[in-house]
């Protein structure tokens, strides 16, 4: 292409490396192009083939995850996954990472993470009804941690609150492995009529390509490439690659897009996320097997003298790309101008299969679409060799000395950073806006509960992962992350339907890190199959490390379930005295990798608790059936901190005390019974224990009466602590850490 040859100096190996392409990958570029690319074309290859956009190290393994079920309308490959919830309605949801940007610029990094995931959902025609998040920070005494927590929480709250979508739950933990690389994973859930779903494929040669939303600036250039590399000591110099968000414009964009979607104008629609105009135009054209011609002079710009390179790679926020039916431009323009948003015709679809970019009357890029989009690298076991994580020996609970006072240990545990209440965080989020968040599913419970507006149905939404389990045994950790979300949803009475994932790992070029990824995928696959809990969307975030120090492997899982009659849903609070507390599931007193071992004994070792997927299915289905039969007043799954922590959380939720029967521990030592983290377990508070125990026996489900509610203390084996003392420890850590008390 002679008319681009003079636009840039020759592409040197240094320039190629700066664009994140290996010599072999650049060789593939030359093969596809049949010539040397210019700098704009190189930039386009760079972002499209970045880890963040192409999934080149992960897609070989992601293809092994189960993605289908009778209720799945759309699995991975679109902006978000879609599941059928009956009555002509569907749920659209996805989770994504914004880790690197949030470390560099915590407020804007987190805020634009929320904005991006919202666009993934409403671009498919769904109105967003709930946000969730999963946050991982470094150790509390690290000098940057408080600053990062403050900025990230403010960014999530500032964006979500302003755009008017409730943030209804999530999780937040601390560990030294995240000192140099925090994780900010954001999830959005929306609802759409099944006959109003929109997809991104662009079809129809001659159809106009439309740009809507905010103007394009220089923020976010190379954001996708930056998110696909390790941090180094100079990473804070990458602030220009962090986008700047405007939630008020996002709100206008949501309303304008949903209004246009009520017409018959749209052929295809895609948000401009990572890699901005490049990825959105390439993906739309590739899915429709089309070409596209863009005139960059028509792109709305908020900065002067922007180059083609800058416009194509900018990740400015609140922008969408759509293809309209010919002749509908004026109708669409009127809607976007009413909402005071930019609207511009920037190109047309062609039948050439190529992307042609014009700028100032010159052809500045000419690229084949399918070879670039579909022939991105895919690294298998030969290209990304992996080594399995060595198995750790199990810990005998008898080798761990019992505490002098188990309830003093419980009080300390409930005030530890990971176990402490995160009220300081979620009170900064408007979790009641839209008026459909149910009180029983408020933040702090197993799963958020959000009514489907105008119906009796409700969605149960949860996020979870236990990275210390994944570090010790990625396969068990992967199983556990899926099973834990399944339990969270089940404990409300909802039927779990599907998951989204956010796979956060270190450098995949290191075999031990790739082994963590492979192990987690294998464990997740087993759990998804056993629990009929398919993966419908997701995100992979690799290279989460600084100067060679990787994060803990963190396959965060977001799940959605449905309860047909929301009046039957239960929360975790023990609301009255005289209720019998039943333990569902087998208890062996597993203390390896437990919170007790870490916070009380100062150890992080041993094998994590094994996950028996058949027991998970059996016990969970039984619990859900009992809730829907009206036999359960409150329910809580057992996880971090084991039985004692779960009882304490149930008691604190409604300020009604509990007395446990030591005899229920049987031959298991008291501290192992109280703090072991055995899986597939639930606590049920009920007024009809005999009926539930009889039904459990008939179903072959282990069930034991372990205590009764009443008073204002937690008591067991002659030890007692007031709920006030435990609650003070639980509630005070976060405000004290953030300096608000």
């Amino acid at each position: 292409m002679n008319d681009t040859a003079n636009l840039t100096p020759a592409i040197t190996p240094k320039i190629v490396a700066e664009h994140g392409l290996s010599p072999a990958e650049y060789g593939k570029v030359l093969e596809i192009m049949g010539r040397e690319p210019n700098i704009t074309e190189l930039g386009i290859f760079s972002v499209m083939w970045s880890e963040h956009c192409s999934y080149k190290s992960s897609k070989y393994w992601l293809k092994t995850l189960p993605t289908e079920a009778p209720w799945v309308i759309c699995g991975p490959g679109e902006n978000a996954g879609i599941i059928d919830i009956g009555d002509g309605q569907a749920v659209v949801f996805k989770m994504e990472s914004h880790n690197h940007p949030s470390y560099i610029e915590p407020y804007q990094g987190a805020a634009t993470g929320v904005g991006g995931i919202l666009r993934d959902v409403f671009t498919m025609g769904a109105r967003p009804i709930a946000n969730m998040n999963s946050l991982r920070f470094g150790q509390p005494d690290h000098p940057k941690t408080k600053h990062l927590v403050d900025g990230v929480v403010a960014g999530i709250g500032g964006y979500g609150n302003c755009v008017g979508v409730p943030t209804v739950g999530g999780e937040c933990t601390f560990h030294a492995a995240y000192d140099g690389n925090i994780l900010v994973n954001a999830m959005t859930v929306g609802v759409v009529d099944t006959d109003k779903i929109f997809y991104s494929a662009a079809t129809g040669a001659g159809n106009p390509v439309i740009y809507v939303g905010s103007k394009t600036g220089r923020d976010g250039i190379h954001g996708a490439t930056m998110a696909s590399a390790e941090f180094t000591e100079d990473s804070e110099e990458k602030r220009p690659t962090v986008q700047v968000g405007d939630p008020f414009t996002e709100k206008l964009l949501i309303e304008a897009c949903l209004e246009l979607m009520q017409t018959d104008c749209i052929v295809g629609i895609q948000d401009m996320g990572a890699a901005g105009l490049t990825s959105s135009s390439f993906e739309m054209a590739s899915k429709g097997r089309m070409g596209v011609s863009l005139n960059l002079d028509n792109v709305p710009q908020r900065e002067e003298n922007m180059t083609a390179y800058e416009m194509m790679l900018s990740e400015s926020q609140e922008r969408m790309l759509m293809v309209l039916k010919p002749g509908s431009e004026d109708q669409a323009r009127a809607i976007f101008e009413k909402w005071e948003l930019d609207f511009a015709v920037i190109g047309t679809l062609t039948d050439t299969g190529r992307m042609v970019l014009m700028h100032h009357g010159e052809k500045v890029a000419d690229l084949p679409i399918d070879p670039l989009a579909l022939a991105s690298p895919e690294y298998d076991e030969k290209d990304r060799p992996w080594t399995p994580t060595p198995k750790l020996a199990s810990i005998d609970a008898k080798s761990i000395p019992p505490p002098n006072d188990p309830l003093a240990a419980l009080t300390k545990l409930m005030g530890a950073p990971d176990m402490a209440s995160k009220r300081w965080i979620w009170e900064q989020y408007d979790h009641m806006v839209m008026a459909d968040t149910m009180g029983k599913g408020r933040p702090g419970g197993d799963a958020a509960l959000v009514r489907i507006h105008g119906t009796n149905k409700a969605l149960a939404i949860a996020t979870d992962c236990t990275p210390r389990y994944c570090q010790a045994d990625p396969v068990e950790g992967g199983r556990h992350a899926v099973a834990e979300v399944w339990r969270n949803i089940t404990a409300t009475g909802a039927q779990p339907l599907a998951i989204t994932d956010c796979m956060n790992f270190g450098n995949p070029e290191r075999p031990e890190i790739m082994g963590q990824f492979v192990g987690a995928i294998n464990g997740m696959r087993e759990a998804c199959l056993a629990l009929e809990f398919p993966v419908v969307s997701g995100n992979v975030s690799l290279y989460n490390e600084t100067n060679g120090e990787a994060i803990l492997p963190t396959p965060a899982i977001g799940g959605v379930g449905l309860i047909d009659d929301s009046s039957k849903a239960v929360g975790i609070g023990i609301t009255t005295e005289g209720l019998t507390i039943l333990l569902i599931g087998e208890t062996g007193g597993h203390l390896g990798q437990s919170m007790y071992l870490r916070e009380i004994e100062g150890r992080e070792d041993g094998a994590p608790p094994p996950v028996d997927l058949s027991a998970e299915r059996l016990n969970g289905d039984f619990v859900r059936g009992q809730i829907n039969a009206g036999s359960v007043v409150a329910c809580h799954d057992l996880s971090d901190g084991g039985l004692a922590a779960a009882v304490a959380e149930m008691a604190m939720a409604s300020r009604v005390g509990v007395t446990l029967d030591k005899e229920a521990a049987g031959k298991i030592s008291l501290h192992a019974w109280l703090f072991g983290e055995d899986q597939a377990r639930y606590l049920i508070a009920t007024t009809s224990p005999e009926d539930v125990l009889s039904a459990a026996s008939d179903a072959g489900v282990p069930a034991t009466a372990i205590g009764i509610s009443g008073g204002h203390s937690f008591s067991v084996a002659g030890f007692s602590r007031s709920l006030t003392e435990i609650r003070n420890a639980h509630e005070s850590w976060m405000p004290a850490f953030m300096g608000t008390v």
Side-chain angles (χ1 to χ4, degrees), residues 28 74 81 87 91 161 172 198 280 316 354 387 395 410 413 422 542 619 621 680 694 696 723 729-730:
K28 185 71 172 176
C74 177
D87 304 311
V91 173
N161 295 352
C172 173
F198 287 82
S280 56
S316 295
R354 300 185 71 83
T387 56
I395 290 177
L410 172 65
L413 189 64
K422 302 307 184 294
L542 303 177
N619 298 353
D621 287 348
S694 175
L723 286 185
H730 185 58

Side-chain angles (χ1 to χ4, degrees), residues 360-384:
H360 299 326
E362 295 186 18
K363 187 189 295 183
V364 294
D366 187 347
L367 299 146
I369 288 177
D370 274 357
L372 194 155
L374 302 180
S376 62
E378 178 177 323
Y379 295 140
D380 59 17
E381 297 176 81
K382 300 187 298 295
D383 306 300
R384 288 283 186 264

Side-chain angles (χ1 to χ4, degrees), residues 598-657:
R598 190 176 87 185
E599 299 297 335
I600 306 301
E601 293 295 319
R603 295 168 52 182
E604 294 185 55
D605 60 330
V611 180
D612 182 335
L613 293 168
S614 60
E616 291 283 0
R617 183 66 184 266
L618 179 68
N619 298 353
D621 287 348
F622 172 77
V623 167
R624 189 183 316 105
Q626 291 298 304
I627 293 172
N628 282 279
S631 302
V632 176
V633 175
C635 183
H636 194 9
D637 90 301
L638 273 66
S639 55
D640 285 351
L643 172 65
V647 169
E649 288 165 348
M650 295 180 78
M652 289 188 293
S654 295
R655 305 187 186 225
V656 175

Side-chain angles (χ1 to χ4, degrees), residues 6-26:
N6 61 353
L7 295 178
T8 179
I11 302 299
T12 65
K14 180 181 179 183
I15 292 174
V16 171
E18 287 172 348
H19 281 75
L21 295 172
S22 70
E25 289 168 348
Y26 186 62

Side-chain angles (χ1 to χ4, degrees), residues 26-38:
Y26 186 62
K28 185 71 172 176
V29 170
L30 295 176
E31 180 183 327
I32 289 172
M33 294 291 289
R35 59 174 171 80
E36 186 177 88
N38 63 42

Side-chain angles (χ1 to χ4, degrees), residues 479-693:
R479 291 187 191 117
H480 169 267
V482 174
E484 170 72 2
V485 169
W486 195 83
R487 288 200 303 271
N488 290 158
I489 292 170
T490 291
T492 69
Q495 175 67 52
L497 293 176
I499 67 170
T500 181
D501 58 51
C502 205
M503 307 293 290
N504 308 274
F505 291 79
N507 184 345
E509 297 168 46
R510 296 165 55 192
E512 68 275 18
I513 300 295
M514 198 65 211
Q516 293 174 347
F517 183 86
V518 173
I521 288 285
N522 287 339
M524 288 166 56
R525 180 178 63 252
E526 293 171 10
C528 289
L529 289 170
L531 301 174
E532 290 187 276
F533 207 24
V535 181
V536 297
S537 61
N539 172 245
V540 176
S541 176
L542 303 177
Y543 296 95
N544 287 290
E545 53 184 80
T546 299
N547 296 326
E549 294 295 322
I551 62 164
L552 300 182
T554 311
I557 303 296
V560 173
L562 176 70
I563 185 163
D564 289 321
D565 183 352
S566 60
S567 68
K568 294 182 178 180
V570 299
I572 70 170
I574 300 174
T575 52
T576 60
E577 299 196 353
L579 297 175
T580 299
I581 312 300
L582 303 181
L583 174 62
I584 306 297
E586 293 278 6
T587 298
H590 190 102
L591 290 174
Q593 295 297 330
S594 66
M595 289 298 296
Y596 177 87
L597 193 68
R598 190 176 87 185
E599 299 297 335
I600 306 301
E601 293 295 319
R603 295 168 52 182
E604 294 185 55
D605 60 330
V611 180
D612 182 335
L613 293 168
S614 60
E616 291 283 0
R617 183 66 184 266
L618 179 68
N619 298 353
D621 287 348
F622 172 77
V623 167
R624 189 183 316 105
Q626 291 298 304
I627 293 172
N628 282 279
S631 302
V632 176
V633 175
C635 183
H636 194 9
D637 90 301
L638 273 66
S639 55
D640 285 351
L643 172 65
V647 169
E649 288 165 348
M650 295 180 78
M652 289 188 293
S654 295
R655 305 187 186 225
V656 175
V658 173
T659 298
L660 296 186
D661 179 6
K662 177 177 179 282
E663 299 306 311
K667 296 180 181 180
I668 302 171
S669 59
L670 182 62
H671 68 303
W673 184 65
L674 289 173
F675 299 109
E677 295 182 5
D678 304 272
Q679 301 294 290
R681 297 189 299 162
Y682 302 80
L683 288 176
I684 285 176
T686 180
T687 58
S688 52
E690 295 84 3
D691 292 343
V692 177
L693 289 170

Side-chain angles (χ1 to χ4, degrees), residues 59-307:
K59 57 188 172 184
Y60 175 82
W61 296 101
L62 294 174
K63 292 174 183 177
T64 68
L65 291 171
T67 60
E68 297 180 348
W71 52 90
V72 174
I73 295 174
C74 177
E78 273 290 341
N79 289 289
I82 311 176
I83 54 175
D84 195 326
I85 58 168
D87 304 311
Q89 294 180 307
V91 173
V92 180
F93 67 102
K94 188 181 182 183
M95 181 189 288
E96 275 200 346
S97 61
H98 232 223
N99 304 333
H100 285 42
S102 298
Y103 183 78
I104 294 169
E105 181 56 67
Y107 185 95
Q108 291 295 350
T112 52
V114 174
I117 197 64
L118 281 165
R119 288 193 298 279
D120 278 338
V121 168
F122 76 74
T123 193
M124 303 198 73
R127 178 170 290 280
I129 64 166
N131 289 331
M132 299 279 284
N133 54 73
S134 177
L135 310 176
R136 314 284 171 186
F137 295 101
Q139 54 192 333
D141 59 2
H142 188 276
K144 289 197 70 169
T145 299
K146 181 178 175 181
H147 160 73
L148 292 168
V149 172
D150 187 60
V152 165
V153 172
I156 291 171
Y159 205 100
N161 295 352
C162 291
V163 84
V165 177
T167 301
V168 295
E171 55 177 340
C172 173
T173 61
F174 300 82
H175 193 279
Y178 304 101
D179 281 350
N181 201 125
I182 64 173
L183 301 184
V184 175
N185 297 170
M187 176 178 172
T188 293
V189 179
V191 175
V192 64
D193 291 340
T194 53
D195 61 353
K196 287 290 186 181
I197 296 169
F198 287 82
Y199 297 98
S200 58
T203 57
N207 283 351
V209 177
I210 310 297
Y211 173 119
V212 299
S214 289
K215 289 180 169 61
T216 294
R218 292 186 170 94
D219 52 321
I221 294 173
H222 279 307
T225 306
M226 178 267 289
S228 306
E230 297 176 36
F231 277 150
T232 59
E233 292 176 357
D234 64 352
S235 289
E236 296 205 22
E237 297 175 7
K238 296 180 179 178
R239 288 183 191 275
T241 64
V242 178
Q243 312 94 317
V244 177
D246 179 353
F248 297 106
T249 299
E250 181 100 337
K251 174 62 174 173
L252 299 177
L253 190 60
I254 291 173
E255 299 304 331
C257 286
L258 292 179
E259 182 175 338
L260 182 62
M261 287 168 173
Q262 297 306 307
T263 71
D264 192 34
C265 296
I266 299 174
V267 174
I269 183 169
Q270 173 87 21
D271 80 295
M272 293 193 219
L277 186 54
T278 289
S279 65
S280 56
S281 56
F282 262 90
E283 288 172 12
M284 291 182 76
S286 179
K287 288 176 182 176
R289 308 305 297 270
M290 301 299 297
V292 62
S293 176
L294 301 181
N295 183 352
L296 300 183
D297 297 344
N298 294 342
V299 171
Q301 300 161 54
R302 68 166 184 263
E303 299 186 49
E304 294 181 355
N305 302 317
M306 289 191 71
T307 65

